[in-house]
Amino acid sequence: MKILTVDIGTGTQDIFLYDSHLDLENGLKMVVPSPTLIVHRRLKEATRLGLPVVLTGATMGGGPSQWAAEAHIRAGLPLFATPDAARSFNDDLSAVAEMGVQIIGEEEARRLSSTVQRLQLCDFDFPAISAAFAAFGVSLSSLDAVAIAAFDHGAAPPEISDRRFRFEYLEQRIRAENRLSAFAYRADQIPSILTRLQFVAHSARDVDAPLVVMDSAPAAVLGATFDTVAANASRKIMVNVGNLHTLAFRLGPTGIEGVFEHHTGLLTTAALDELLEDLANGSLTNA
């Protein structure tokens, strides 16, 4: 059995090819720049060259790509984007337009001058991953499954903040199914509010294997529970500290007992220790 697994982060995408014929430690691994970082670098180069840019393709992770887009606009250079690509920066297209991005239709994007630099947005580039493995004599033509993890805050209505919408989603999933795997979905079961994961599934539509997607932080915590020390503890706190978001779960015999999420950049070691202590004492169930 072969399963391609990809964790799409802010700085890197971590790729692991599970092969049941090999010991787990001998599975093939790649750590390469994240899709949003690749877009960031290409946008920075276009800015350096003074080129107008049009963004097309899918809704994907933001962060570095948005920072580069803002710098491109501050440099006085035109930045166009189709609606789906623009939603990589904000689900509210009016907010994207306020950034200075010119929202245009697909047909208008195709009619732009050839002098405009074209960047195709996509979180999951299977042809690129397949080609990278092929360079080392490894074929991905007979996969049994594909599993992809990515952070998706959900498409919040304009009147609701992304943070509040995210917290409400976390609460709803935990109340519906009190287990970490509640944040995993088959390709045909992804909620419509999870637009980034929807586009990940769309990007994988030509892969001849079942697809499972999952929120990256619960996926990391779920994986950590298989550690022998963690597995033997009846109650534990598991923390995923990402480049942009930190998510912690208090787990007990009945499942998830508490959770908090925060922007990593707003946390200090002391603040994190305090939040974890509150989570351990049961005085913090959601933050």
Side-chain angles (χ1 to χ4, degrees):
M1 175 179 288
K2 288 185 178 181
I3 302 174
L4 177 68
T5 66
V6 184
D7 176 25
I8 305 170
T10 301
T12 63
Q13 50 183 319
D14 300 72
I15 302 163
F16 178 75
L17 180 62
Y18 170 77
D19 188 336
S20 59
H21 292 99
L22 301 173
D23 291 337
L24 193 64
E25 294 81 0
N26 289 328
L28 301 177
K29 315 171 196 59
M30 290 193 296
V31 180
V32 297
S34 66
T36 187
L37 192 59
I38 293 170
V39 173
H40 169 90
R41 290 172 176 173
R42 290 174 177 169
L43 264 171
K44 283 186 65 177
E45 179 63 10
T47 305
R48 186 185 70 81
L49 296 173
L51 297 174
V53 172
V54 58
L55 306 176
T56 63
T59 300
M60 60 176 287
S65 61
Q66 180 171 345
W67 304 332
E70 292 168 341
H72 190 79
I73 294 166
R74 285 196 302 270
L77 296 167
L79 180 62
F80 307 93
T82 57
D84 285 339
R87 291 188 181 95
S88 301
F89 304 145
N90 197 305
D91 294 306
D92 183 356
L93 290 181
S94 64
V96 181
E98 288 177 5
M99 285 173 51
V101 179
Q102 301 177 53
I103 313 296
I104 61 175
E106 297 284 350
E107 184 58 36
E108 188 177 355
R110 284 190 285 270
R111 292 198 303 265
L112 288 173
S113 167
S114 60
T115 60
V116 178
Q117 181 81 15
R118 285 165 165 77
L119 297 182
Q120 182 89 3
L121 304 193
C122 178
D123 261 327
F124 178 62
D125 189 345
F126 182 73
I129 294 172
S130 183
F133 274 107
F136 293 93
V138 178
S139 173
L140 299 184
S141 61
S142 57
L143 294 171
D144 294 284
V146 176
I148 302 173
F151 177 88
D152 192 337
H153 58 63
E159 68 277 7
I160 300 178
S161 73
D162 285 347
R163 285 173 60 97
R164 178 181 171 187
F165 193 75
R166 167 77 172 177
F167 292 156
E168 290 177 351
Y169 165 70
L170 292 173
E171 181 180 14
Q172 180 268 322
R173 290 307 298 154
I174 293 170
R175 290 189 182 279
E177 301 179 52
N178 192 350
R179 51 190 176 85
L180 291 167
S181 57
F183 297 97
Y185 304 95
R186 295 178 184 270
D188 60 350
Q189 297 175 341
I190 303 169
S192 60
I193 63 168
L194 300 180
T195 50
R196 183 184 182 188
L197 293 181
Q198 288 272 4
F199 276 104
V200 166
H202 182 72
S203 299
R205 65 192 182 281
D206 294 329
V207 182
D208 187 21
L211 172 71
V212 173
V213 298
M214 188 170 182
D215 190 285
S216 52
V221 171
L222 178 60
T225 63
F226 288 90
D227 175 84
T228 53
V229 174
N232 289 327
S234 61
R235 181 169 279 108
K236 53 244 182 186
I237 290 179
M238 314 290 283
V239 187
N240 180 69
V241 181
N243 285 319
L244 291 183
H245 297 90
T246 293
L247 184 61
F249 290 92
R250 187 178 77 242
L251 306 175
T254 60
I256 300 170
E257 298 178 344
V259 59
F260 78 79
E261 183 171 85
H262 208 306
H263 286 121
T264 303
L266 298 178
L267 284 172
T268 62
T269 301
L272 180 57
D273 286 343
E274 184 177 345
L275 285 170
L276 292 176
E277 184 176 352
D278 289 342
L279 188 62
N281 294 333
S283 57
L284 177 66
T285 56
N286 190 21

